[in-house]
Structure formats: structure tokens, C-alpha cells
């Protein structure tokens, strides 16, 4: 029995320093390292503000991974519903490659590039409630970049504010209901985005997250998305 205890103690004496060194070698603490391997599912809403706006349900999927100091964020936002009977669906799939720059063990900054595919079905013009025309769902894209902070103020908690700017372009098949004709029109604008994510790790493999984001289109239409849910670390 004494030999077994000595053997276990010897193994732990080897493993624990190696484990601590693995976190220390990249300049980040354990909580931030845990974040880079998290995928989350949350439920919330997407709000079109203004007199012609409204809120539709939204599902958010997202997470991050890393290879060395290379960062890859991913997210999908699936918002679907109707506002006064008119469809206002918006589906966005985002990839955000970047580079992790540790400031200290509990704080880092990540400059990133944002690449997104966007599918949106809303009514053309400045109003979602323009009864004369409708616009079918078509593919669009979003290209830009920004920066995020990852901060662990206490053990198991990560706070993540970020901001970026991107170029948004999408085509629409616009129908004129009066004479049953259609034409393709394009929307090109600048999109500004600010986000806040808060995660608390219940265990080494499960966390809860709250996500708050604000998207502002250059045309003046404001979008605010939010949600809360659970995540898995792997």
C-alpha cells in the first residue's frame, strides 16, 4: 500500500507541473484556456427597431477554437418569424479568424477578420410593412473586421466585449404586385456591430452563457439580438 501511495504521489508530482506549465506557456490562465474550446446554444430574439419593427425568435450557435495563437470564432444566427404577417427572416453564418494577444493571464485581445454569409427575407425599401412590394430571400455576404477582449475577472467567469465594422451586400428579387413583374435590386451598406458575451463555467465541461449584441445598418435600420443558453466545452 505504501508503494502505491508513493507511486501515485510521484505521478501527480510529474503531471501537475506539466499541466500548469501548459497553461503558463501561452501566457493565459486556466479559465481563458477553457474558453477556447467552447460551443454554445442559446435562445433569444432579433428585434427590428423603429415604427416598422418588431421582434422575431432567434437561435444562436457559436463558439471558438485555437491552434497555438491562431483563433477561429464561429457562429450561426437563425432568426425566423413574421412582423404583422410579413416575413422578416434573417440567417447569418459567421467565421472570424484572428490572432490571440495575451495582455496578462486573465486578459487578452483578439484582432479578427469577419467573413459571413447572410440570407435575409424582408420587404424592400425602408419599411418592413410596404404592402406594394415583396422581396424574396437571396444570398448576401458580409466582410469586415474588428477586435474582441476576453477577460476573466474571477475563476470560471469570462466576459467578452467585441466590436467590428463590415461591408454588407445582398440581392433581392423585388416583385411589383400591381403588374406581376419583378426585378433584381441590391442593397449595399455598412454594418456596425457591438457584442457582449458572458460565460460562467459550472464544471469543466458545462457552462451557461448570456449574449447581448447590437447590429446597426448604415441605412438606419437597427437590429438588436440577444439570447441565453448552455454550452459544452470540448
Amino acid at each position: 500500500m505504501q508503494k502505491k501511495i508513493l507511486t501515485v504521489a510521484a505521478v501527480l508530482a510529474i503531471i501537475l507541473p506539466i499541466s500548469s506549465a501548459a497553461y503558463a506557456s501561452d501566457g493565459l490562465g486556466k479559465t481563458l484556456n477553457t474558453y477556447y474550446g467552447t460551443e454554445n446554444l442559446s435562445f433569444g430574439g432579433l428585434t427590428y427597431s423603429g415604427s416598422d419593427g418588431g421582434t422575431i425568435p432567434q437561435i444562436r450557435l457559436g463558439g471558438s477554437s485555437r491552434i497555438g495563437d491562431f483563433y477561429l470564432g464561429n457562429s450561426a444566427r437563425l432568426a425566423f418569424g413574421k412582423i404583422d404577417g410579413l416575413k422578416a427572416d434573417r440567417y447569418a453564418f459567421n467565421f472570424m479568424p484572428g490572432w490571440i494577444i495575451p495582455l496578462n493571464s486573465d486578459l487578452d485581445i483578439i484582432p479578427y477578420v469577419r467573413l459571413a454569409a447572410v440570407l435575409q427575407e424582408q420587404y424592400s425599401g425602408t419599411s418592413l410593412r410596404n404592402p406594394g412590394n415583396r422581396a424574396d430571400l437571396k444570398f448576401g455576404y458580409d466582410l469586415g473586421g474588428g477586435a474582441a477582449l476576453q477577460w476573466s475577472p474571477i475563476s470560471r467567469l469570462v466576459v467578452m466585449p467585441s466590436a467590428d465594422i463590415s461591408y454588407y451586400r445582398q440581392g433581392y428579387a423585388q416583385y411589383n404586385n400591381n403588374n406581376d413583374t419583378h426585378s433584381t435590386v441590391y442593397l449595399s451598406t455598412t454594418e456596425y456591430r457591438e457584442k457582449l458575451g458572458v460565460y460562467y463555467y459550472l464544471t469543466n465541461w458545462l457552462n451557461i452563457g448570456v449574449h447581448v449584441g447590437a447590429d446597426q445598418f448604415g441605412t438606419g435600420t437597427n437590429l438588436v439580438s440577444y439570447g441565453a443558453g448552455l454550452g459544452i466545452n470540448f
Side-chain angles (χ1 to χ4, degrees):
M1 179 64 70
Q2 187 176 8
K3 289 183 178 180
K4 289 183 178 179
I5 294 175
L6 291 175
T7 301
V8 171
V11 171
L12 290 176
I14 295 173
I15 292 177
L16 291 178
I18 292 176
S19 177
S20 299
Y23 290 118
S25 64
D26 60 12
L28 299 178
K30 183 176 181 179
T31 301
L32 286 185
N33 270 284
T34 301
Y35 163 73
Y36 296 116
T38 299
E39 294 294 329
N40 298 276
L41 171 65
S42 63
F43 301 89
L46 177 67
T47 297
Y48 290 80
S49 65
S51 58
D52 294 315
T55 300
I56 54 179
Q58 179 175 245
I59 298 174
R60 296 170 64 102
L61 302 167
S64 65
S65 58
R66 61 179 293 182
I67 302 175
D69 289 330
F70 176 74
Y71 166 87
L72 181 59
N74 64 85
S75 68
R77 297 190 314 173
L78 313 175
F80 44 89
K82 295 183 178 181
I83 299 175
D84 279 1
L86 305 182
K87 297 187 79 172
D89 300 347
R90 180 177 169 88
Y91 308 94
F93 305 89
N94 306 274
F95 292 94
M96 292 154 287
W99 198 258
I100 301 170
I101 304 174
L103 302 180
N104 57 52
S105 62
D106 298 321
L107 179 67
D108 63 32
I109 185 170
I110 305 172
Y112 62 86
V113 176
R114 185 169 180 275
L115 312 171
V118 182
L119 298 173
Q120 178 166 273
E121 183 173 17
Q122 74 175 62
Y123 282 67
S124 59
T126 59
S127 173
L128 285 173
R129 302 176 182 174
N130 181 351
N133 296 299
R134 64 183 176 86
D136 283 350
L137 184 70
K138 280 187 174 294
F139 171 78
Y141 62 86
D142 211 342
L143 304 175
L149 281 176
Q150 318 290 349
W151 177 41
S152 175
I154 60 174
S155 178
R156 295 187 178 274
L157 178 67
V158 177
V159 180
M160 300 173 299
S162 66
D164 64 50
I165 182 172
S166 57
Y167 173 76
Y168 171 71
R169 181 173 173 83
Q170 184 172 2
Y172 294 92
Q174 179 176 266
Y175 287 78
N176 186 318
N177 296 333
N178 295 326
N179 55 19
D180 198 28
T181 61
H182 75 275
S183 59
T184 300
V185 296
Y186 292 91
L187 170 65
S188 300
T189 186
T190 301
E191 183 173 325
Y192 304 91
R193 181 176 286 97
E194 304 85 33
K195 294 182 180 179
L196 175 64
V198 179
Y199 297 93
Y200 183 78
Y201 294 91
L202 297 175
T203 67
N204 290 334
W205 59 272
L206 182 65
N207 67 81
I208 57 176
V210 178
H211 321 267
V212 179
D215 302 334
Q216 180 179 354
F217 285 83
T219 56
T221 301
N222 294 316
L223 301 178
V224 176
S225 63
Y226 54 88
L230 290 172
I232 297 177
N233 311 326
F234 58 88

